Amino acid sequence: MPERLIPIQGDITKLQVEAIVNAANNSLLGGGGVDGAIHRAAGSELLQECRQLNGCATGEAKITKGYKLPAKWVIHTVGPVWKGGNQGEDNLLASCYLHSLALAEEHNIKTIAFPAISTGVYGFPIERATKIAVTQVNKFLQSHNSPKQVLFVCFSQDAYLMYQQLLKDLLKS
Ligand code: AR6
């Protein structure tokens, strides 16, 4: 497994990385799941900054400061809602990873942590989402020096084991 891609199990709000990615919604004004946890941990200044951003399109990403989080930056991206798989969900999810990584590179961010975007409330099947996440991040890192390290943060042990396995399988070749 290449050292630049690392699956871990835990709470993304606790991580000492330069940037964490938020699985947000189009309003960027907070919500449940990982979005709620990030806003709670960062404090109300995060919401104040998000209010200035005019939302975010699905598949795109915007950056804010991390405020009370250990991470200096939060990259907010909006994953697709799963609608059966024929509504461009795969490409939109891939685009979330690529836009987030491009923003990280622009800001010279060396370490970034992703949650499993769209796999909670938005209902994207976890295995299909994990394959897209791992493939897209690997592709990006092969042609870019920065970020140096990408963490895949899994809340559940099942998700963690899946990331571990898929990283082994997909990146073996
Ligand atoms: N750390 C890491 N992963 C987490 C954490 C955490 N603290 N909390 C949840 N997860 P979800 P989505 C995992 O529903 O599907 C929000 O209301 C969770 O187990 O947070 O993209 C937004 O405002 C799951 O695997 O995001 C949007 O309206 C993954 O994070 C909507 O939910 C994503 O689950 C976005 O839905």
Side-chain angles (χ1 to χ4, degrees), residues 44-125:
S44 59
E45 284 168 299
L46 177 60
L47 184 57
Q48 276 174 38
E49 187 176 354
C50 284
R51 284 206 179 98
Q52 316 303 315
L53 299 178
N54 279 321
C56 182
T58 304
E60 295 187 5
K62 294 195 176 176
I63 191 164
T64 65
K65 289 185 268 183
Y67 300 98
K68 293 184 182 150
L69 288 162
K72 182 174 178 200
W73 302 101
V74 180
I75 294 175
H76 306 262
T77 189
V78 184
V81 176
W82 179 256
K83 292 176 184 157
N86 294 317
Q87 309 287 319
E89 294 96 326
D90 290 347
N91 287 339
L92 287 168
L93 186 62
S95 169
C96 288
Y97 284 94
L98 295 178
H99 279 115
S100 299
L101 290 166
L103 260 185
E105 189 186 28
E106 260 176 51
H107 287 77
N108 203 24
I109 288 164
K110 302 285 185 243
T111 53
I112 180 170
F114 282 93
I117 301 163
S118 282
T119 66
V121 176
Y122 281 0
F124 208 114

Side-chain angles (χ1 to χ4, degrees), residues 5 17 65 126 139 143-144 164 168-169:
L5 291 172
V17 286
K65 289 185 268 183
I126 178 85
K139 195 169 83 180
S143 52
H144 297 79
Q164 244 187 354
K168 267 192 206 138
D169 292 351

Side-chain angles (χ1 to χ4, degrees), residues 4-68:
R4 290 175 74 191
L5 291 172
I6 302 167
I8 63 162
Q9 194 184 347
D11 179 349
I12 202 166
T13 65
K14 308 276 192 244
L15 295 182
Q16 307 262 359
V17 286
E18 279 177 72
I20 63 171
V21 176
N22 182 16
N25 58 54
N26 296 120
S27 77
L28 295 186
L29 299 180
V34 72
D35 193 8
I38 288 172
H39 275 272
R40 273 193 302 279
S44 59
E45 284 168 299
L46 177 60
L47 184 57
Q48 276 174 38
E49 187 176 354
C50 284
R51 284 206 179 98
Q52 316 303 315
L53 299 178
N54 279 321
C56 182
T58 304
E60 295 187 5
K62 294 195 176 176
I63 191 164
T64 65
K65 289 185 268 183
Y67 300 98
K68 293 184 182 150

